[in-house]
């Protein structure tokens, strides 16, 4: 059981919340109830109540149905579904003046947040959505926080709501991913996550929770809490609902949830999401005043007030005020002149420097703080696999270019004055090497990945993304606003299943984004298997070849160049960053003439970036030539990688990845242990770096060894022996503890 002091370390970093494994959430949830409540209360006091007793008020929120009934979804709990016979007729969207009058009454009754709900699957563009925007502007003008729940949103709609002044958007996950299909079939769990991502990207706070008592078991409640706690950032507010069983819905006969189970969920939510508002929402009429008091003590600090929540009954406002008074609690006060984006901490903002120091201290306590470190010792961590950063032929090419007066700077973007002949020559050479129609040179691998994805993928499209894709691909996908479907790592069968769940509709395109060789695991994607599925389904592939370029394929060109005609036709664009085996920087993208022309016209990271120095194009061109004429370098790297893996295995140290991959990761477990092993290797003159969350999943911090041409057998033996000794020492220390 984590102690309150351990929880204190976890809660300190609000912008980068910790990852909560389901097993740890289960341990928290299953504590004896009083211990659980006490721990939750301690965290609540730490985060929401000042030393002088100030703070800790309960936020009063008012929820109004602005469009009732007729919803096409089949949510089993909802009386507003058109598929259920509950006596609720489909109504029209309320007029703006009616809504603003209700908001004024709510404000005068003490509410600081006004929430508007519409029984829509998703708002349709046009007059009704424009009216909602008017409502948001009007409510914000009353000095209230403004929240909406309108169903699924597009990226444009989220940004429009943000511009209108929306504080928060409510979009509940409802239950665990595993139980979700028992409750809803008309909208996927991923649909919900995608809307949350669009809301975050628009700068709107996320309000996200769930419903208890729908027939789920404890495992589902725990999984729901873990999912909420692992959202990044964590939800600003977390509404916890108890099912209101309505006649005519499929859950009408569902037994009432035990009150102690509800309290247990509230306390767990407070521990897992210490800075969030935890809101008592629907179903409070089924809780006694005593049960609600336990919830407040355990960390609930927000309630919905008003006689009705959308269509279901709620305690009377007068009774709520009496209960809060009896418990010595005060309603949260509405602050004048603070704007309309309150999140519960606006009243007492933490000074910037103090907040930054606190966040850095939290990362330090979790062994996750990053620092720049000088390069010392034998190189077992760089990506210069072939040693081309020091190659005499590359140096000679650069010296010759300088002697011939090549410009040191490009002078502008490629589309303005920066299109030096060296770039065109490199792109022609690269396209021939790849067997592609054309190529384009970017200033960095990050710029190439973000720029390629955002230029090719449209908002209405669907992207299937491998769970271990690089951050640059993830960021590019987020910026598109397209629907993202995360697929399990290296699992074509799971991808095939996802294709069936997300068919192409209305002419939308579907994309698969993968790497060929993964940088943190050293393993290979099954590109041919993926290509067969993509060809059959009409899905276009984008492949990042960062760590395969120069090492695999004909002439070191990578896996796509070595692939079957089916693979090559399925891949719309393949990316080849030059900062790995090519020993330089920048990145090259291969594709058809149409694809490259699209990047030139629509890739913002290309169009709006100053072109790299022409000298870099000369360096990359010569590096490609060296790769082609010196195949022994890549052969040596693959041989040394296989030897190191075998030697580690002989010493009882398993390594991840493909046998011949130059990336040899060894999992240490927690971040502190990985750092300790890194320090032992550094003391022995061996430069191996620890990779920690969030770069890798929690609990899988690792030593990421990279193999290079020219490394000596004696040095690699010393590396293997030193690493094995450090790993064994760590295991023995853990066993003693």
């Amino acid at each position: 059981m984590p102690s309150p002091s351990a929880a204190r370390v976890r809660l300190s970093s609000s912008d980068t919340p910790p990852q909560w494994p389901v097993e740890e959430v289960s341990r928290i949830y299953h504590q004896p109830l009083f211990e659980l409540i006490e721990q939750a209360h301690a965290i609540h006091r730490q985060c929401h109540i000042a030393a002088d007793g100030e703070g800790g008020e309960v936020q009063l929120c008012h929820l109004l149905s602005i469009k009732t009934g007729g919803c096409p979804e089949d949510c089993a709990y909802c009386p507003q579904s058109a598929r259920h016979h509950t006596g609720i007729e489909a109504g029209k969207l309320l007029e703006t003046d009616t809504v603003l009058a209700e908001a004024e009454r709510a404000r005068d009754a003490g509410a600081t947040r006004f929430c508007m709900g519409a029984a829509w699957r998703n708002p349709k563009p046009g007059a009704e959505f424009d009216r909602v925007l008017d409502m948001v502007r009007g409510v914000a003008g009353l000095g209230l926080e403004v929240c909406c729940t309108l169903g699924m949103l597009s990226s444009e709609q989220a940004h429009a709501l943000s511009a209108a002044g929306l504080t928060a958007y409510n979009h509940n996950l409802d239950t665990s991913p595993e139980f979700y299909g028992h409750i809803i079939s008309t909208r996927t769990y991923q649909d919900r996550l995608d809307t949350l991502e669009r809301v975050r990207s628009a700068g709107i706070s996320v309000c996200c929770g769930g419903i208890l008592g729908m027939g789920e078991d404890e495992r589902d409640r725990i999984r729901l809490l873990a999912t909420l706690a692992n959202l990044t950032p964590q939800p600003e507010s977390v509404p916890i609902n108890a099912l209101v069983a309505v006649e005519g819905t499929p859950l009408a006969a569902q037994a009432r949830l035990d009150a102690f189970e509800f309290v247990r969920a509230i306390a767990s939510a407070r521990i897992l999401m210490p800075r969030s508002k935890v809101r008592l929402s629907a179903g409070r009429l089924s809780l006694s005043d005593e049960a609600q008091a336990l919830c407040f003590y355990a960390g609930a600090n927000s309630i919905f007030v008003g006689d009705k929540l959308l269509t279901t009954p709620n305690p009377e406002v007068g009774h709520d005020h009496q209960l809060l008074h009896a418990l010595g609690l005060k309603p949260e006060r509405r602050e004048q002149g603070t704007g309309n984006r309150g999140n519960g901490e606006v009243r007492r903002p933490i000074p910037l420097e103090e907040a930054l120091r606190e966040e850095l201290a939290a990362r330090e306590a979790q062994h996750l703080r990053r620092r720049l470190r000088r390069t010392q010792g034998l190189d077992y961590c760089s990506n210069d696999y072939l040693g081309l950063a020091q190659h005499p032929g590359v140096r000679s090419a650069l010296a010759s270019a300088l002697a011939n007066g090549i410009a040191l700077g490009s002078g502008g973007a490629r589309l303005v004055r920066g299109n030096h002949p060296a770039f065109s020559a490199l792109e022609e050479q690269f396209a021939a090497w790849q067997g592609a129609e054309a190529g384009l040179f970017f200033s960095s691998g990050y710029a190439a990945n973000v720029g390629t994805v955002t230029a090719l993928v449209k908002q209405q499209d669907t992207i299937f993304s491998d769970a271990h894709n690089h951050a640059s691909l993830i960021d590019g996908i987020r910026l598109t606003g397209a629907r993202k479907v995360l697929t399990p790592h290296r699992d074509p069968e799971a991808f095939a299943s996802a294709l069936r769940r997300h068919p192409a509709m209305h002419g939308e395109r579907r994309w698969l984004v993968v790497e060929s060789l993964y940088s943190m695991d050293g393993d290979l994607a099954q590109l041919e298997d993926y290509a067969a599925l993509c060809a059959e389904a009409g899905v276009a592939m984008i492949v990042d070849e960062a760590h395969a370029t120069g090492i695999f394929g004909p002439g070191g060109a990578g896996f796509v160049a070595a692939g079957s005609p089916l693979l090559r036709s399925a891949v719309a664009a393949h990316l080849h960053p030059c900062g790995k085996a090519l020993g330089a920087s920048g990145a090259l993208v291969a594709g058809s003439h149409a694809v490259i022309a699209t990047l030139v016209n629509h890739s913002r990271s290309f169009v709006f970036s100053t072109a790299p120095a022409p000298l870099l194009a000369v360096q990359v061109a010569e590096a490609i030539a060296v790769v082609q004429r010196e195949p022994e370098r890549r052969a040596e790297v693959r041989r040394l990688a296989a030897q190191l893996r075998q030697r580690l295995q002989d010493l009882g140290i398993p390594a991840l990845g493909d046998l011949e991959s130059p990336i040899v990761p060894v999992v240490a477990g927690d971040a502190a242990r990985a750092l300790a092993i890194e320090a032992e290797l550094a003391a022995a003159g061996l430069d191996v770096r620890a990779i920690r969350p969030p770069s890798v999943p929690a609990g899988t911090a690792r030593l990421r060894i990279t193999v290079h041409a020219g490394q000596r057998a004696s040095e690699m033996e010393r590396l293997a022996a030193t690493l094995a000794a450090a790993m064994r020492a760590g295991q023995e220390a853990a066993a003693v503890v």
Side-chain angles (χ1 to χ4, degrees), residues 59 61 63 113 115 147-149 168-175 196 206-212 224-225 228 231 235-242 262 265-266 269 273 276-282 300-304 309:
Q59 184 187 47
C61 308
L63 175 60
R113 174 177 287 201
C115 308
C147 181
C148 282
T149 178
Y169 193 80
N170 169 254
H171 203 60
N172 290 336
L173 295 180
D174 289 346
T175 187
L196 294 178
V206 166
C207 173
C208 185
I211 306 171
L212 309 183
L224 169 64
L225 290 167
L228 292 169
L231 293 175
E236 171 264 338
S237 55
V238 183
I240 304 294
N241 301 267
F262 191 84
I266 293 291
M273 293 165 280
S276 302
K277 293 281 190 186
V278 176
R279 181 170 300 123
L280 302 185
S281 300
N301 57 351
S302 180
I303 59 173
F304 274 124
L309 295 186

Side-chain angles (χ1 to χ4, degrees), residues 85-325:
H85 302 288
T86 61
I88 294 178
E89 300 294 333
K92 295 182 178 180
L93 182 67
L94 296 180
E95 295 298 327
T96 301
D97 289 346
T98 302
V99 173
L100 295 185
E102 184 69 19
E104 278 196 271
R105 285 191 288 271
R107 182 192 63 184
D108 295 343
T112 59
R113 174 177 287 201
F114 189 77
C115 308
M116 296 175 281
W120 288 330
R121 173 177 170 80
N122 54 280
K124 300 294 188 293
E128 289 196 332
F129 184 66
D130 291 342
R131 195 189 309 173
V132 172
L133 296 177
D134 287 339
M135 295 175 189
V136 171
R137 296 185 191 99
V139 174
L142 296 173
L144 291 165
E145 296 181 14
V146 198
C147 181
C148 282
T149 178
L150 312 170
M152 295 183 289
L153 292 182
S154 68
S155 182
E156 288 94 349
Q157 289 169 333
H159 281 86
L161 288 165
S162 178
L166 191 70
T167 306
Y169 193 80
N170 169 254
H171 203 60
N172 290 336
L173 295 180
D174 289 346
T175 187
S176 70
E178 294 78 7
F179 192 69
Y180 183 86
H182 296 280
I183 302 299
I184 303 162
S185 69
T186 51
R187 188 191 315 185
T188 69
Y189 213 76
Q190 187 63 47
D191 288 334
R192 294 181 181 269
L193 294 172
D194 289 343
T195 289
L196 294 178
E197 185 62 35
R198 289 168 189 149
V199 167
R200 286 192 203 94
S201 297
I204 301 171
S205 295
V206 166
C207 173
C208 185
I211 306 171
L212 309 183
M214 297 190 293
E216 77 284 350
D217 59 23
E218 278 190 345
R219 291 171 299 180
D220 295 307
R221 293 169 201 155
I222 290 165
R223 186 75 167 87
L224 169 64
L225 290 167
T227 304
L228 292 169
N230 287 324
L231 293 175
T232 305
Q234 292 183 330
E236 171 264 338
S237 55
V238 183
I240 304 294
N241 301 267
L243 175 70
V244 179
V246 177
E247 191 68 31
T249 66
L251 298 180
Q254 188 64 43
R256 179 178 293 183
L257 178 72
D258 180 81
F260 288 139
E261 286 299 303
F262 191 84
V263 174
R264 188 176 290 279
I266 293 291
S268 299
R270 171 51 68 218
I271 294 169
L272 297 168
M273 293 165 280
R275 297 193 186 278
S276 302
K277 293 281 190 186
V278 176
R279 181 170 300 123
L280 302 185
S281 300
R284 279 201 297 128
L285 280 175
S286 66
L287 298 174
S288 66
D289 287 352
E290 293 78 9
Q292 292 186 66
L294 280 177
C295 289
F296 289 127
Y297 188 81
N301 57 351
S302 180
I303 59 173
F304 274 124
V305 293
D307 297 341
K308 183 185 290 187
L309 295 186
L310 297 179
T311 62
T312 57
N314 197 48
E316 295 180 353
V317 175
H319 181 82
D320 282 333
H321 282 281
Q322 291 172 8
L323 176 60
L324 294 179
H325 179 75

Side-chain angles (χ1 to χ4, degrees), residues 456-463 482-483 508-509 511:
L456 296 179
V457 180
K458 307 303 181 186
Q459 183 182 338
Q460 67 268 22
D461 294 350
T462 298
I463 303 177
R483 174 184 300 190
E508 302 161 353
R509 292 192 184 96
W511 301 81

Side-chain angles (χ1 to χ4, degrees), residues 544-713:
D544 181 358
E545 293 249 55
H547 294 273
T549 304
I551 306 295
F552 295 96
F559 287 108
V560 175
S564 67
L566 182 68
L567 172 61
R568 294 181 60 80
S569 64
V571 175
H574 42 116
L575 303 101
H576 299 261
C578 307
K580 280 61 176 177
L582 297 183
S585 60
L588 287 151
V589 181
S592 67
H593 290 302
V595 164
I596 299 304
T598 298
L599 299 186
V600 170
N601 281 272
H602 296 289
S603 176
R604 295 173 68 84
S605 59
F606 176 84
V607 173
F608 298 106
S609 289
T610 296
L615 199 62
L616 179 59
V618 174
Q619 180 182 353
V620 173
E622 182 59 26
I624 292 174
V626 171
V627 167
Q628 292 177 295
R629 69 173 178 257
E630 298 183 16
E632 65 275 8
R633 287 178 176 269
R634 59 181 176 274
E636 182 183 15
V637 168
R638 297 200 301 269
R639 176 179 58 79
L640 290 173
Q643 288 178 355
L644 178 59
R645 277 191 169 81
Q646 183 60 55
R647 184 61 184 132
L648 289 172
Q649 182 177 334
D650 294 342
L651 293 169
I653 306 298
L656 302 179
D658 184 78
L659 179 65
E660 294 188 338
S661 165
I663 302 163
V664 185
V666 175
V667 175
D670 63 62
R673 186 182 179 208
L675 287 173
I677 296 172
E678 177 191 278
E680 289 193 41
L681 293 170
L686 303 166
D687 193 2
V688 177
R689 303 299 172 95
I691 307 296
R692 296 160 286 161
S695 299
V696 294
T700 69
R702 63 199 61 183
L703 285 305
R704 180 182 178 274
I705 304 166
T706 55
V707 176
H708 309 98
Q711 286 172 331
R712 300 174 182 172

Side-chain angles (χ1 to χ4, degrees), residues 19 21 65 119 146 252 261 275 305 354 380 510 516 530 698 709 713-714:
Q19 293 293 308
S65 176
V146 198
E261 286 299 303
R275 297 193 186 278
V305 293
E354 180 183 343
Y380 284 97
R510 294 184 295 173
S516 60
Y530 281 123
S714 59

Side-chain angles (χ1 to χ4, degrees), residues 479-537:
L479 287 171
T480 66
R483 174 184 300 190
K484 180 180 73 174
V485 180
L486 203 64
T487 60
H489 181 49
R490 296 180 66 252
D491 192 339
E493 290 186 6
F495 170 57
S497 177
L499 282 174
R500 291 191 292 271
R501 294 196 309 272
H502 299 275
M505 301 175 65
H506 311 299
E508 302 161 353
R509 292 192 184 96
R510 294 184 295 173
W511 301 81
L512 172 65
V513 178
V514 296
E515 299 179 42
S516 60
L517 172 58
Y518 286 87
S519 60
M520 292 301 150
D521 303 283
D523 52 2
L524 305 176
Q526 304 95 316
L527 292 182
E528 294 290 351
D529 293 341
Y530 281 123
L533 293 168
C534 289
E536 182 178 353

